[in-house]
Amino acid sequence: MRDEDYKLHPVLRIDFPPDDRLGRGKIMLLELIRETGSISAAGRAMDMSYRRAWLLVDALNRMFKEPSVKSQRGGKQGGGAAVTPFGETLIQRFRAMEAKACNAIKDDLDWLEAVRDRNAVSAEETARHE
């Protein structure tokens, strides 16, 4: 792994009461749908079932006044999905919010990084060796 893979970073999640959430997983799914043109391919890239990916897309489409993804049923073109202009804006705004959060707490992250014990073994690693 690269050193960057071990760098501390905040994880942004927005709660939409009572039950919805928007976080990096749904945004990553949107980005992969944009790249692949397919909900199932995007789900596979994230190691999730088509059903799980479809349920997340459905949740995204219900959370807002406009859909984030439009799907096309099979047929001569074989179906597919596309991120809508609203979905593109959602991706851009969420990524901008992540950057703002990182910048806002940069000094604190730098301090945590400086006092962090990089040689410490994680609980997950300890469990694997037991």
Side-chain angles (χ1 to χ4, degrees):
M1 280 190 161
R2 300 169 306 173
D3 202 39
E4 296 166 4
D5 294 334
Y6 291 102
K7 190 169 178 165
L8 299 178
H9 62 279
V11 176
L12 180 64
R13 184 182 89 182
I14 311 294
D15 289 337
F16 287 69
D19 298 320
D20 288 321
R21 288 176 226 48
L22 179 65
R24 64 185 180 167
K26 285 179 180 152
I27 296 299
M28 184 182 298
L29 184 63
L30 285 177
E31 290 169 331
L32 287 166
I33 290 169
R34 178 179 59 200
E35 288 176 26
T36 64
S38 166
I39 294 171
S40 60
R44 279 192 304 274
M46 293 181 72
D47 200 27
M48 71 174 70
S49 69
Y50 171 77
R51 177 170 167 66
R52 177 74 177 134
W54 188 90
L55 288 172
L56 291 173
V57 167
D58 185 56
L60 275 167
N61 283 345
R62 287 184 291 102
M63 287 171 67
F64 301 100
K65 294 177 181 178
E66 297 181 47
S68 298
V69 175
K70 291 260 187 185
S71 56
Q72 177 182 328
R73 295 202 184 268
K76 291 180 182 178
Q77 274 74 37
V83 175
T84 65
F86 172 76
E88 289 291 345
T89 300
L90 181 60
I91 292 168
Q92 292 167 0
R93 298 286 298 246
F94 187 86
R95 293 302 186 199
M97 285 187 276
E98 282 182 319
K100 288 176 191 174
C102 282
N103 288 334
I105 62 171
K106 183 184 179 323
D107 291 343
D108 297 308
L109 289 174
D110 290 344
W111 179 81
L112 287 170
E113 192 65 57
V115 299
R116 174 180 173 194
D117 182 357
R118 286 187 164 253
N119 296 317
V121 178
S122 71
E124 183 179 301
E125 187 69 24
T126 302
R128 271 189 269 176
H129 293 289
E130 290 180 351

